[in-house]
Amino acid sequence: MSRAVARDLRRRYGRDFRVVRADSGQDALEALREIKLRGDTVAAMLADYRMPQMDGIAFLEQAMDLFPHARRALLTAYADTDAAIQAINVVDVDHYLLKPWDPPEEKLYPVVDALVETWRAVGDRPVEETKVIGHRWSAPTYEVRDFLARNSVPYRWYSVDEPEGCRLLEAAGAGPEDIPILITPDGKVLRSPTGAEIASVVGLSTEPAAEFYDLIVIGGGPAGLGAAVYGASEGLRTVLVERQATGGQAGQSSRIENYLGFPDGVSGSQLTERARRQARKFGAEILTARDVVGLEARGSARVITFSDGSEIAAHAVVLASGVAYRSLEASGCGDLTGRGVYYGSASTEAQACGGEDVYIVGGANSAGQAAVFFSRHARSVTLVVRGASLEQSMSHYLIEQLRAIENVHVRVGTSVVEAHGDDHLEAITLCERESGKTETVPCGHLFVFIGAAPYTDWLGESILRDEHGFVRTGPDLLAEGRRPAGWSLDRDPLYLESSVPGVFVAGDVRSQSVKRVASAVGEGAMAVTLVHRYLEER
């Protein structure tokens, strides 16, 4: 780190912290090892990208092994901004600073203040570990593990077929019939827990702090998170309600490579976690594992009803409930879901795929991203595509990637017609569409990405939808120039407004929307702008 940065840091933080400077990455690592041996802690690490012997990213990657809870920042020149993006992806750097950083009061100190504030909030506390005991081929066990993983809750998995799993099961006073078992860090035991029960014991918020808000966002995918960030940042008291885990389908993506600002790609979970932190930073509440079953207008209020009968209300609502993968209509698949047949990328199964032959059904980007991801673990990955080619539904960059991976194979014009297995998936039957020829192949892991159905069955008749269940908005509501029946305002519906004034729609659930992460985030932000226009009318 340069002498000038060290000087500025000592001037501001020297009274409360010891500022250690090193001339190279190796010297810095030696200093960190000495600090570790003395039992001291490190609040923040600032690394210059252009250092002797190793670059700043390599240094931070090794330094994280010594002090994983220290906050991280990278100093870069304008020409090294690609390195900054790499740092975000590789070492999850908290900030990067462009040189020169003068004046430090504007460009350096606010960043370091944020690093120190975050470190003080988290400190060097060890990660509290949640334990899950179950069976590898138990669908409820998979659901618990998937819920924890998608909500970024650290946990350790134990199989009942292993000695330690049996010991934990005995200590919990439970039997195989009780699995899955979840044990919290403080020793509380949950038998076959629901998502809401898990959320309540692992620190996820499930109860609203108020009965009335400025804005309720339903759905925690990219559109919902975008609406929550922009709503809260613009002063609206905002609550986001998600029934499973924030991120939606995008949150399950192993790698998103065409999202603006991430030339090296970013995982869906990383993007989701940053968006979630950003929403909370601005004051948005995030409720997890709460299922919304009703939405209605009561005067000027828009009221949502939860599955337990409780309600909250707001001046306006952004509906961003997203879509769900369609079920694979093949004999046997229903019984084997969660036991070898999975919807989405199911990253919790990656290690179990080592040395296995994996099959992925689907020909769009999500299927291609999953194929790239599982190719690093499995012996082979086969994409089963019903269409005549990948070009019909997959981005060009992803097709080129797949062609370059030796253990990825593509079978076009082919469908899965049957899944075989007793307690878990063992084989699948493939059928070629043109010839009708069938072939049964061994398969222990089948991942399904075959289009999506909107999550709108719970909406009442007042919210107009198209023939596929997607919500109509704006100009799409004007039949022959007439406003929808029951429309109460003396103006046409705004662009993202539904047939109920004050209820806006963003992302995949909207009729004729573009099914991309960037467009979903954009619609979430745009919806908040329209919410402001709506509120100004009242």
Side-chain angles (χ1 to χ4, degrees):
M1 185 168 57
S2 76
R3 296 180 187 277
V5 176
R7 178 201 63 211
D8 289 339
L9 292 175
R10 289 192 180 105
R11 182 183 304 159
R12 175 67 174 260
Y13 304 99
R15 184 173 299 178
D16 299 317
F17 293 92
R18 180 187 173 203
V19 178
V20 179
R21 175 184 169 276
D23 291 320
S24 69
Q26 288 295 349
D27 289 347
L29 289 173
E30 285 299 320
L32 288 174
R33 293 186 185 102
E34 291 181 11
I35 293 171
K36 186 76 172 179
L37 291 174
R38 290 199 303 266
D40 293 334
T41 58
V42 174
M45 298 183 286
L46 278 70
D48 196 322
Y49 177 65
R50 295 180 180 272
M51 294 194 300
Q53 302 174 12
M54 68 174 68
D55 63 42
I57 298 174
F59 161 72
L60 288 174
E61 197 167 8
Q62 295 185 47
M64 285 170 61
D65 294 334
L66 294 167
F67 292 97
H69 302 288
R71 311 322 300 176
R72 298 172 288 281
L74 188 72
L75 300 172
T76 66
Y78 183 79
D80 295 325
T81 49
D82 284 350
I85 300 301
Q86 182 186 359
I88 292 173
N89 293 330
V90 174
V91 296
D92 201 19
V93 71
D94 297 284
H95 293 277
Y96 68 89
L97 294 164
L98 290 179
K99 305 174 190 176
W101 56 89
D102 290 326
E105 290 78 10
E106 294 181 12
K107 298 184 178 180
L108 177 63
Y109 296 154
V111 169
V112 178
D113 285 345
L115 295 175
V116 171
E117 181 182 348
T118 303
W119 177 81
R120 279 177 168 155
V122 177
D124 268 354
R125 297 191 301 269
V127 176
E128 295 183 333
E129 186 176 85
T130 298
K131 300 179 180 68
V132 177
I133 303 101
H135 192 280
R136 178 185 175 187
W137 299 118
S138 161
T141 298
Y142 164 73
E143 291 170 2
V144 170
R145 295 175 62 196
D146 188 58
F147 180 88
L148 292 170
R150 291 181 61 191
N151 282 287
S152 302
V153 177
Y155 74 94
R156 187 178 295 275
W157 148 250
Y158 299 89
S159 171
V160 293
D161 296 327
E162 300 171 355
E164 184 62 19
C166 292
R167 285 191 286 268
L168 286 169
L169 203 63
E170 182 179 357
E177 68 279 1
D178 296 316
I179 63 170
I181 297 291
L182 185 142
I183 303 175
T184 66
D186 60 1
K188 185 176 181 179
V189 176
L190 278 68
R191 294 170 170 80
S192 300
T194 64
E197 290 172 335
I198 297 171
S200 66
V201 299
V202 299
L204 300 175
S205 180
T206 59
E207 295 297 329
E211 295 181 355
F212 198 92
Y213 296 82
D214 294 319
L215 175 64
I216 297 172
V217 180
I218 303 174
L225 286 168
V229 167
Y230 281 91
S233 68
E234 294 176 11
L236 298 178
R237 186 167 189 184
T238 303
V239 60
L240 183 151
V241 182
E242 168 56 46
R243 64 192 180 105
Q244 291 181 323
T246 51
Q249 286 189 343
Q252 294 178 279
S253 176
S254 54
R255 204 82 181 157
I256 302 169
E257 296 192 72
N258 59 351
Y259 188 67
L260 186 68
F262 292 88
D264 295 317
V266 60
S267 73
S269 61
Q270 286 177 316
L271 193 61
T272 296
E273 178 58 24
R274 288 171 188 151
R276 185 164 48 202
R277 281 164 39 197
Q278 197 171 14
R280 286 176 173 154
K281 166 189 171 182
F282 289 120
E285 285 183 48
I286 298 179
L287 306 182
T288 306
R290 293 305 302 265
D291 203 4
V292 180
V293 297
L295 168 61
E296 62 178 307
R298 295 182 192 168
S300 62
R302 302 296 174 260
V303 182
I304 67 168
T305 304
F306 295 114
S307 57
D308 63 0
S310 62
E311 298 177 340
I312 57 174
H315 293 303
V317 169
V318 172
L319 179 61
S321 54
V323 295
Y325 287 114
R326 297 185 188 278
S327 298
L328 183 62
E329 295 181 1
S331 175
C333 277
D335 294 336
L336 294 171
T337 298
R339 298 187 290 141
V341 177
Y342 306 98
Y343 290 86
S345 66
S347 58
T348 54
E349 295 299 307
Q351 296 303 319
C353 293
E356 299 283 331
D357 296 318
V358 169
Y359 284 78
I360 296 174
V361 183
N365 279 11
S366 54
Q369 290 160 355
V372 173
F373 172 71
F374 285 110
S375 70
R376 306 185 192 114
H377 304 273
R379 176 171 56 194
S380 71
V381 176
T382 301
L383 267 174
V384 181
V385 183
R386 185 174 58 178
S389 71
L390 289 177
E391 282 76 8
Q392 296 176 350
S393 54
M394 189 177 293
S395 295
H396 175 74
Y397 83 90
L398 201 46
I399 295 174
E400 293 302 308
Q401 276 191 30
L402 294 174
R403 286 174 177 163
I405 302 174
E406 292 185 357
N407 65 333
V408 172
H409 314 286
V410 181
R411 294 186 60 159
V412 297
T414 305
S415 300
V416 175
V417 294
E418 190 170 1
H420 310 271
D422 294 325
D423 64 336
H424 63 89
L425 180 68
E426 298 175 0
I428 57 173
T429 298
L430 304 174
C431 178
E432 295 180 0
R433 295 183 65 190
E434 288 191 7
S435 66
K437 178 183 176 183
T438 61
E439 177 187 5
T440 299
V441 296
C443 175
H445 292 84
L446 179 70
F447 299 94
V448 182
F449 303 82
I450 54 169
Y455 179 60
T456 57
D457 292 344
W458 57 277
L459 291 171
E461 294 182 358
S462 59
I463 304 288
L464 298 183
R465 286 155 278 173
D466 64 19
E467 63 274 19
H468 302 294
F470 294 92
V471 181
R472 297 182 185 275
T473 59
D476 197 28
L477 291 168
L478 303 176
E480 299 179 356
R482 296 193 303 271
R483 295 166 184 164
W487 184 257
S488 59
L489 301 181
D490 189 23
R491 63 160 173 81
D492 291 345
L494 299 174
Y495 183 69
L496 297 180
E497 197 168 20
S498 74
S499 52
V500 173
V503 175
F504 298 85
V505 188
D508 290 357
V509 74
R510 189 176 68 83
S511 179
Q512 301 186 48
S513 65
V514 177
K515 305 301 189 281
R516 287 289 186 269
V517 175
S519 60
V521 173
E523 286 192 5
M526 182 180 178
V528 172
T529 299
L530 299 178
V531 165
H532 281 293
R533 287 181 57 183
Y534 168 76
L535 294 178
E536 289 169 359
E537 298 172 349
R538 301 174 66 252

